[in-house]
Every structure is written in structure tokens, then in C-alpha cells.
Amino acid sequence: MASGAMFGEIQKFADQEFFEKHRYGSIYYNGRERGLEIFGILEVDAYDTEIYRTLSSNDEEHQAYYQYLLSKAKYKRDVSLTSTDKIVLLSTCFLTITNGRHILLAKITDAPVKAAQDKSGEAVGTRYFYQGLPTHWIYILAFLLLLIVLLLLILIILIMRRNKKTKDKKK
């Protein structure tokens, strides 16, 4: 964690200047890249059950939840949120407090905001949230590599058998 692994750089958003300069990011899920509109950073206890819970489809419950999140925010921005919007809470350890967590709040949008569109001129998405190849491609590549190794082993065994048979025939 101290090395910045597993969302470790989220703690940079606890610096007000950094938070103000970085409004957008991107995240890859369900086979495509989507945008993130960052609207808050929390410094909270890991056992806050009000934060770590799922919501029903009730509009009032959603609004109360959003208000609770914003009430806990160290820094926040005005972002319009409705009960149909999807949000993501990216959580990482807050190293100076036992059970402390930094939680970045972001609204998921259909398209990522590119650096040219971001008024700050700095793209956050790739640097902070992109995790390389989608997982399914890694599995496919691993399977193909395993298949190649297996075929090479079969080929070696067949060559060894053929060599043994030719030696036996010469005797």
C-alpha cells in the first residue's frame, strides 16, 4: 500500500490543490472504458456501515445516502446526482489512522473526458485508474501460452519416440 499499489494514489486527492486540479478520470469495466466525474474525497473509518452498504431503488434513500457521503467529504464538488446515476467509491487505506480509509467519490459517465476536454489540462484516468489489459484478455493469453507449451511437449515426446524406434531398428 505504501508503494501506491491498489488505489494508493487516491490519497493524493486529500490535498486540496490536487483535488481541485483533477476533476475527471476513467475506469474500465464491462468491456469498455467509462468516464469518472470526481465529486469528493472522504477520510473515514473502515467500519462506517452507512458508507459501505448497498442501496434499494428508492429515490429518497439515494438522496439521503448522497447527502451522507457529502457530509463526510473532506473536499467536494457540486455534481448533479439522481437515483439512476451510477457512482463508484474507490477506497484505500489511510495509513496514519487505524482502520482509516480514503474514499474517492465519482459519478460514472458513458464516455471518459479526455485531457483536451478537461479544463485543468491534466488527465487523471489512465494514470490513476487504468489497470492495463482487461482481465479476460489475460486469461486468453495465458491459455494460448499453456497450449503452445503443451504442443511443444507433445512434439518433443513424439521426436524422442521416433528416435528410440530408429535406434531399436538399427540394433
Side-chain angles (χ1 to χ4, degrees), residues 6 12 19 32-33 36-37 44 73 78 83 86 100 116 119 153 161 164 167 170-171:
M6 292 187 62
K12 289 182 178 181
F19 179 81
R32 63 183 270 237
E33 185 178 16
L36 294 177
E37 188 175 355
V44 295
D78 287 332
S83 61
K86 293 186 178 357
K119 290 179 178 46
L153 284 173
R161 282 187 180 173
K164 186 177 179 183
K167 284 182 183 179
K170 287 182 182 179
K171 289 183 181 182

Side-chain angles (χ1 to χ4, degrees), residues 137-153:
W137 284 109
I138 294 171
Y139 290 126
I140 291 170
L141 291 173
F143 175 75
L144 291 173
L145 183 60
L146 184 62
L147 188 63
I148 290 169
V149 169
L150 186 61
L151 289 173
L152 286 173
L153 284 173

